[in-house]
Amino acid sequence: MAKTFEVGDHVSWNSEVGRVRGKIVKVHKRAVNYKGYVYRATPDDPQYEIKSDKTDHVALHKAAAGICRIYGWTIFS
């Protein structure tokens, strides 16, 4: 079963600059045009809009991109 996340979940993922933490601000369940790119999504494979804790940068990721839910200081995948 695929991992699922909800708005407000605190998550972590790997990026080009290392491990990043942030909160899910929106769940997209259909294709969305964001910053000039079309991100494919379905109800079974959504895109998660995540706002970085450190920089306030917003990015879209799928669960398959290695997003992990954070509980306190422990990261669970």
Side-chain angles (χ1 to χ4, degrees):
M1 181 168 170
K3 294 184 247 182
T4 59
F5 304 98
E6 298 176 4
V7 171
D9 283 350
H10 198 214
V11 296
S12 176
W13 68 98
N14 280 324
S15 78
E16 305 85 32
V17 297
R19 200 89 190 144
V20 181
R21 294 177 179 214
K23 278 198 176 177
I24 295 178
V25 294
K26 191 167 186 179
V27 178
H28 298 276
K29 296 184 178 183
R30 61 181 183 171
V32 59
N33 188 333
Y34 185 76
K35 295 184 179 180
Y37 296 95
V38 175
Y39 291 83
R40 306 283 178 218
T42 66
D44 293 331
D45 193 19
Q47 288 276 0
Y48 297 98
E49 193 169 325
I50 308 169
K51 184 176 181 183
S52 168
D53 290 341
K54 194 173 188 179
T55 65
D56 288 337
H57 174 79
V58 176
L60 271 72
H61 295 288
K62 287 191 172 187
I67 300 172
C68 301
R69 188 174 284 112
I70 300 173
Y71 297 98
W73 292 102
T74 306
I75 299 173
F76 293 91
S77 20

